[in-house]
Amino acid sequence: MAAPLWPLHGANLGTLLRTCDAVGACLAAPRYPWVPEALRRGNTLRRPACVHWVHDPPGWLARERAAGTKVVGVELAEEAVRLADLPAARGRTIVVLGHEQTGIPPEALDLLDTVVEIPMVGTGASLNVAVAGSLVLYKLAGLL
C-alpha cells in the first residue's frame, strides 16, 4: 500500500494511483478536501481504484503496525536502507511518503519499521512523491 499521507501536489496522487494498480497495491490517502478531486482527475484506470481514506495518519499507522503490517518510510536518514538493498515484501506493507518539501513528520518517524532512501547523484535533494513511491513499490513488489 502506498501512503502519501501529507501530499502537496495533486498530480502526484494520480500518478501514484496508477502505479499502485500496476503492482497490485492500494493507495492510502488523507481526506483533505482537494484529494478526492485530484484522484478523480489523475485516475485513468478502467476500473475502480483501491483507495483507503485516512483521517488520522499517525493513529492509522500505529494501528496498522500493531496489527502486524510492516511500515516502510521513504526518507533521508542515517539508518536508511538503500533502495537496491530493500528486499521484496513478504506480507502486508505500507510505503509511507512524506510531504514533498518537509518529508515525513517527526510524529510519524517513530512508527516506521524501516527507512529506505533512493540514492541520487545530481544536485536535487529528493525525487517527487510519485516517482519515489513508484520506485519503492516496484522494488517491494519484486518487479525490480
Side-chain angles (χ1 to χ4, degrees), residues 71-85:
V71 182
V72 177
V74 182
E75 188 71 50
L76 296 174
E78 243 351 89
E79 69 282 356
V81 174
R82 285 174 23 100
L83 179 62
D85 298 328

Side-chain angles (χ1 to χ4, degrees), residues 83-111:
L83 179 62
D85 298 328
L86 184 67
R90 298 283 182 233
R92 184 174 168 89
T93 304
I94 295 172
V95 177
V96 178
L97 300 150
H99 187 278
E100 281 94 334
Q101 294 172 346
T102 58
I104 298 172
E107 66 270 17
L109 290 174
D110 290 338
L111 300 170

Side-chain angles (χ1 to χ4, degrees), residues 45-58:
L45 303 173
R46 298 177 196 261
R47 60 186 172 95
C50 179
V51 177
H52 297 263
W53 295 104
V54 177
H55 298 284
D56 168 25

Side-chain angles (χ1 to χ4, degrees), residues 12-144:
N12 286 333
L13 296 178
T15 300
L16 197 52
L17 185 63
R18 291 190 302 275
T19 299
C20 285
D21 179 71
V23 301
C26 293
L27 182 77
R31 195 50 114 153
Y32 295 164
W34 58 270
V35 170
E37 177 57 28
L39 289 175
R40 274 192 293 280
R41 270 196 324 263
N43 186 0
T44 60
L45 303 173
R46 298 177 196 261
R47 60 186 172 95
C50 179
V51 177
H52 297 263
W53 295 104
V54 177
H55 298 284
D56 168 25
W60 177 74
L61 289 171
R63 288 187 300 278
E64 286 289 330
R65 190 173 183 215
T69 301
K70 184 174 181 183
V71 182
V72 177
V74 182
E75 188 71 50
L76 296 174
E78 243 351 89
E79 69 282 356
V81 174
R82 285 174 23 100
L83 179 62
D85 298 328
L86 184 67
R90 298 283 182 233
R92 184 174 168 89
T93 304
I94 295 172
V95 177
V96 178
L97 300 150
H99 187 278
E100 281 94 334
Q101 294 172 346
T102 58
I104 298 172
E107 66 270 17
L109 290 174
D110 290 338
L111 300 170
L112 305 176
D113 294 304
T114 304
V115 178
V116 63
E117 70 177 2
I118 301 168
M120 297 175 52
V121 296
T123 59
S126 67
L127 300 169
N128 75 35
V129 165
V131 172
S134 295
L135 288 169
V136 175
L137 285 171
Y138 266 86
K139 183 70 171 155
L140 285 171
L143 299 172
L144 285 181

